Amino acid sequence: MPIWTARVLTIFPEMFPGPLGQSLAGQALEKGIWALETVDIRGFASDKHRTVDDAPFGGGPGMVMRPDVVDAAIAAAKGTDPALPLIFLSPRGRPLDQARVRALAAGPGALVLCGRFEGVDQRVLDAHGAEEISLGDFVLSGGEPAAIALIDACVRIVPGIIGKAESLEEESFERGLLEYPHFTRPQVWQDRAVPEVLVSGHHAKVRAWRLAEAERITRERRPDLWARYTEGPGGRA
Ligand code: SAH
């Protein structure tokens, strides 16, 4: 089976691997457990200045990435792996969540198109049926930091990258809840003791305490998640 592959289309290939070259993801990248490739969109410009953008029809500020140049880059990136889904990072996209991350991580990988300037000509997104994904309701100056975040979230759950399966299962969102609080040594720090139950050695009580805390924190901070948790299948209500 081919390895999980992220192929990033960008005008800043030197931003990669960046943080993805460090830590567990970086070690796994070096070992060839997953692959990260960049496609330099500028390489597909046809003029001698390697122009990738132009002024928007209808006027207004900023520049837009040209459909012909982006299309040529996508065609080259698809080349050998037509099965890779094309993702365009965009504040207009569906907000990324752990369910989408899980599905992407379970697939062959992704082609990840990074916008710059005001964005990308709509026609090339439509022509390729690009899936638009947003990192949240804020605006970055380019898609690259979002691509790094998306790929990081995927590779950490691609099998063989993080050792312990259970370290993923209990995490935020895996059960539709935010995570319970963590404590480590020293047991008393600046007059603050860790919760008694955690040093009791009583595993069932620890589990119950952690679930109760996860539920309390989710209820307090994220009414949206809480509603889904209590109403959804297997919910409490
Ligand atoms: N004019 C656009 C913003 C362009 S920002 C607007 O108002 O919606 C330039 C590029 O940064 C975008 O094309 C996109 O690829 C990336 N980007 C910005 N914010 C993002 C976000 N919240 N999530 C994912 N990508 C984002």
Side-chain angles (χ1 to χ4, degrees):
M1 212 179 75
I3 55 173
W4 197 90
T5 300
R7 195 167 293 151
V8 183
L9 296 92
T10 172
I11 60 170
F12 293 109
E14 60 279 14
M15 289 189 183
F16 296 85
L20 296 168
Q22 305 290 319
S23 191
L24 289 175
Q27 287 162 26
L29 188 58
E30 264 182 35
K31 283 190 209 145
I33 295 169
W34 67 289
L36 176 64
E37 299 161 10
T38 53
V39 173
D40 185 357
I41 296 172
R42 264 192 213 287
F44 297 87
S46 49
D47 63 328
K48 76 169 195 291
H49 301 292
R50 307 217 300 160
T51 307
V52 297
D53 59 318
D54 210 325
F57 281 114
M63 300 293 270
V64 176
M65 292 174 85
R66 292 172 55 113
D68 50 349
V69 178
V70 172
D71 176 63
I74 292 173
K78 273 189 177 168
T80 47
D81 294 293
L84 294 181
L86 174 66
I87 292 169
F88 174 54
L89 293 158
S90 155
R92 268 187 343 213
R94 185 169 173 277
L96 183 63
D97 61 16
Q98 192 64 15
R100 190 70 192 104
V101 167
R102 260 197 308 271
L104 282 172
L111 298 181
V112 186
L113 173 61
C114 301
R116 279 276 155 181
F117 317 108
E118 292 309 314
V120 175
D121 187 291
Q122 186 62 41
R123 293 167 294 176
V124 70
L125 300 174
D126 294 342
H128 288 276
E131 172 187 357
E132 295 193 35
I133 292 183
S134 169
L135 233 53
D137 292 341
F138 50 85
V139 182
L140 297 165
S141 47
E144 290 79 5
I148 289 170
L150 170 70
I151 295 166
D152 179 274
C154 289
V155 295
R156 66 190 288 282
I157 59 173
V158 167
I161 296 184
I162 285 198
K164 283 200 199 146
E166 74 262 31
S167 74
L168 296 173
E169 271 161 27
E170 290 235 326
E171 277 183 341
S172 286
F173 308 119
E174 287 299 333
R175 293 177 302 179
L177 292 172
L178 301 176
E179 205 180 39
Y180 52 78
H182 299 289
F183 301 90
T184 186
R185 277 184 278 277
Q187 194 175 329
V188 178
W189 174 76
Q190 295 191 353
D191 295 330
R192 297 162 189 262
V194 312
E196 206 46 52
V197 60
L198 298 181
V199 293
S200 68
H202 197 300
H203 296 304
K205 281 190 184 156
V206 169
R207 253 198 315 279
W209 181 87
R210 285 180 168 165
L211 178 60
E213 282 292 281
E215 290 184 343
R216 177 185 63 79
I217 289 167
T218 307
R219 196 171 56 236
E220 286 174 8
R221 300 186 185 177
R222 293 290 301 274
D224 56 325
L225 292 180
W226 182 248
R228 237 182 295 157
Y229 176 71
T230 52
E231 289 154 22
R236 295 171 93 231

